[in-house]
Structures are given as C-alpha cells and as structure tokens.
C-alpha cells in the first residue's frame, strides 16, 4: 500500500533537462504533498481486496472516491456502482464509499441481507461520532458543507433532528437555533480551510457561545494540499489541478490557487484536457492534484507539459505525509 507521496518527485526530470531547457525560462512547480490521501488509499484498496476475496461482480454504493479514472478502472475489473442499496441483489457484497453513509443506509442494507464492507474514511467517521455525541447532549449542530455532497448527507443522517446545513458564509443568516448556549459547528472534511473559517467567524458573530469541534474536522490531507498550493501560487502564471469536477477538495484547490495569487487555474481529469492556449505566454506552471487522484494522471500532465518546453520540474514541499489507515476488519487478514 502506498502511504505518502515520495518527496522530490520530479527532480530527475529537472536534472536531465539541460541548458536548452533552462534557456527557455519555463518551469513547473510541483506541489508536495498532492494526490492520494490515506483515506482514499484505504478505500480503493478495500475495493481491490474485496474483488480478490469475493470475485466479480461486487457492488459499490456511489463512487468509491470522486475520480473518473479510478471509477472507470474499477468498473472494468467488475465493480458495479449503484446509487442505492435497493439496486444490489439480495445477499451480494456491497462496499460503502469513502464519504460515509447514514444509519438509514446501513439499515436498508441489513434488510436486504447484504454483505457490507464499510470503506468510510476514518476521519469522516470521526465527524459522524461527533454528530451523534452532540445530538445526545441536545446541541444544535451547524454542519458546514455543500448541499447534496455524499459526506454531508451521511453526517446529517446521524442526527437529522439536530443538524442544520450551513453552505458557506452567505448561508449564515438563515440559521436558527433553539438555545444559543448549546450550539456547535462541525464541517465536511474536504472544504476550503479559509472559507470554512470565514463561515465560522460569521456564525460566531451571530452566536457568541458557538462551540468548536473537539478536533479539527477538515482533514489533514485537504489542509496540506491547500497549503502547498498557497506556497507556489503567487509565482505561477497558471496552476493546473488534476482532479474530477465532483471532487470537492479538487475544486477547492482551484479556488485556493486563484485566491493565493495564481494568474489562472484550471481543473482537468486528464492531460488531454489541458488547452494549449492556457500555456501561451506562461513561464511558471504549478501542478497539484486532489486527494483522490492517482499519480499516473499527474505524470501524464507533466509529460504533456514537457512536450511544450516545460521540462524543468521543481518540487514545492510543505509537508511529508506518513499516515496510513488499516483496512476494514473483514479484509485485514488479506493485507500483505
């Protein structure tokens, strides 16, 4: 299992570029860390190990992670993605995605005698536990997140009578609470750190006794990728974020790059989606990828840029990630 993205990835390309490349003045700044986080790594491996143990087909509720390449690759191997558990044949194997599910989904699966394997990211599970804990204590829970996102639906489903969704700073004015002395905020794990803190600031202006979660809800990987982008964006004429459009953390990286000073920023799934017109006049291009993106897709973009004279690749390293999550207990014995 891969754990951390190796540091200094891309230096070999830079060292081999030679004087001709240096004369062009073109360079790539490669954000580190980027790509797979521990939760995504665990979720993808959970599906792979489930295939090995049970054989195809196995079912996955929703996308295991929000990345087109990952989903299509698994589909080719015999994974069937469904929206709800009632689409899964009775008694079959179903994996729950990294984004988590509500208790109602677990109940639905049990009613159909499904063999469930839960690939929910442990950091998402932590937020679920917080929601249950504060609901038991009869708090109003203000859940900062994006309406319709699977993670938000799963967390809110733990305590629907106590949770209100706050979809960004502009939604704060709509919030109502029963008792201003018993209010806490929680958040979706993949949000923009800056926007979330702005939302919390506005909530606290309305509700001065607003409590913070016991620990930071925005995941370490989301924060680390945003910090790396902030470090390189001011020097970039263009930032290319590799990631899918339904990936919240990937979309946020584009926003973070622009807010941090990049002249332009675009989100692409594959190298073929990079418009050569974006490169016109650019001298420094930043590259990063969302937390559900395999490194092979970043390599494709680097190869494409090298063909356009951007062969000098320099890492921008702001953290070294070493966290690894254990597989679901049903699969741990099979791990190498």
């Amino acid at each position: 299992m891969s754990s951390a993205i190796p540091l200094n990835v891309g230096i070999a390309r830079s060292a081999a570029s030679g004087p001709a490349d240096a004369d062009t003045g073109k360079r790539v700044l490669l954000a580190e860390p980027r790509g797979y986080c521990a939760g995504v790594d665990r979720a993808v491996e959970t599906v792979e190990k489930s295939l090995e143990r049970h054989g195809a087909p196995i079912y996955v509720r929703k996308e295991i992670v929000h990345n087109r390449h990952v989903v299509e690759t698994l589909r080719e191997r015999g994974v069937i993605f469904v929206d709800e558990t009632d689409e899964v044949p009775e008694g079959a194997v179903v994996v729950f995605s990294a984004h988590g599910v509500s208790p109602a989904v677990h109940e639905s699966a049990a009613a159909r005698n499904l063999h469930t394997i839960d690939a929910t990211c442990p950091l998402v599970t932590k937020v679920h536990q917080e929601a249950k804990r504060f609901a038991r204590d009869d708090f109003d829970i203000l859940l900062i997140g994006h309406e319709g996102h699977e993670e938000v639906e799963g967390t809110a489903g733990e305590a629907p009578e106590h949770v209100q969704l706050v979809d960004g700073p502009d939604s704060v004015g709509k919030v109502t609470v029963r008792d201003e002395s018993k209010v806490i905020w929680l958040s979706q794990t993949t949000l923009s750190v800056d926007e979330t803190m702005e939302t919390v600031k506005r909530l606290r202006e309305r509700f001065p006794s607003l409590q913070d979660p016991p620990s930071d809800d925005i995941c370490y990987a989301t924060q680390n990728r945003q910090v790396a982008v902030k470090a390189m964006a001011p020097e970039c004429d263009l930032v290319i974020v590799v990631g899918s459009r339904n990936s919240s953390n990937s979309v946020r990286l584009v926003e973070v790059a622009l807010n941090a000073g990049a002249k332009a920023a675009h989100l692409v799934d594959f190298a073929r989606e990079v418009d050569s017109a974006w490169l016109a006049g650019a001298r420094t291009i930043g590259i990063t990828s969302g937390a559900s993106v395999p490194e092979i897709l970043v390599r494709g973009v680097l190869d494409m840029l090298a063909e356009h004279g951007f062969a000098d690749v320099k890492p921008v390293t702001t953290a070294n990630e070493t966290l690894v999550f254990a597989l679901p207990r049903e699969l741990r014995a099979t791990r190498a």
Side-chain angles (χ1 to χ4, degrees), residues 180 203-210:
E180 292 191 8
L203 284 170
R204 186 158 279 121
E205 288 170 355
R206 287 200 60 199
F207 310 111
S209 298
L210 177 71

Side-chain angles (χ1 to χ4, degrees), residues 13-66:
R13 183 189 301 273
S14 175
S17 59
D21 291 326
D23 290 342
T24 69
K26 295 179 177 180
R27 62 174 179 161
V28 172
L29 300 182
L30 186 61
E32 298 178 356
R34 64 181 179 280
Y36 269 18
C37 64
V40 165
D41 208 354
R42 173 183 186 268
V44 173
E45 190 179 5
T46 293
V47 177
E48 293 171 342
K49 294 293 186 184
S50 298
L51 278 170
E52 291 175 12
R53 173 171 287 197
H54 300 285
I58 67 164
Y59 294 80
V60 174
R61 183 184 180 273
K62 307 293 186 180
E63 294 186 353
I64 185 66
V65 297
H66 288 157

Side-chain angles (χ1 to χ4, degrees), residues 52-88:
E52 291 175 12
R53 173 171 287 197
H54 300 285
I58 67 164
Y59 294 80
V60 174
R61 183 184 180 273
K62 307 293 186 180
E63 294 186 353
I64 185 66
V65 297
H66 288 157
N67 183 264
R68 283 171 57 192
H69 174 82
V70 171
V71 169
E72 290 304 318
T73 300
L74 291 172
R75 185 176 282 128
E76 291 170 1
R77 295 182 56 186
V79 175
I80 298 173
F81 293 92
V82 299
D83 285 328
E84 298 299 343
T85 53
D86 60 12
E87 300 172 53
V88 181

Side-chain angles (χ1 to χ4, degrees), residues 296-316:
I296 190 173
L297 301 182
V298 175
R299 290 288 150 201
V301 174
L302 289 171
D303 290 342
M304 176 268 182
L305 290 177
E307 293 171 2
H308 287 77
F310 290 89
D312 182 20
V313 180
K314 301 183 183 303
V316 176

Side-chain angles (χ1 to χ4, degrees), residues 7 74 102 123 178 197 205-206 263 322:
L7 294 182
L74 291 172
S102 69
L123 299 181
R178 296 167 299 155
M197 290 302 100
E205 288 170 355
R206 287 200 60 199
K263 294 178 182 176
T322 58

Side-chain angles (χ1 to χ4, degrees), residues 139-157:
F139 274 71
D140 280 321
I141 301 167
L142 308 183
L143 178 59
I144 302 172
H146 296 304
E147 186 172 2
H149 192 279
E150 293 151 41
E151 183 185 328
V152 165
E153 291 176 351
T155 302

Side-chain angles (χ1 to χ4, degrees), residues 256-277:
V256 168
L258 291 171
N259 290 335
K263 294 178 182 176
H266 297 282
L267 182 68
V268 301
D269 263 297
F270 306 102
R272 64 177 179 266
E273 297 175 0
V274 176
D275 188 339
S276 59

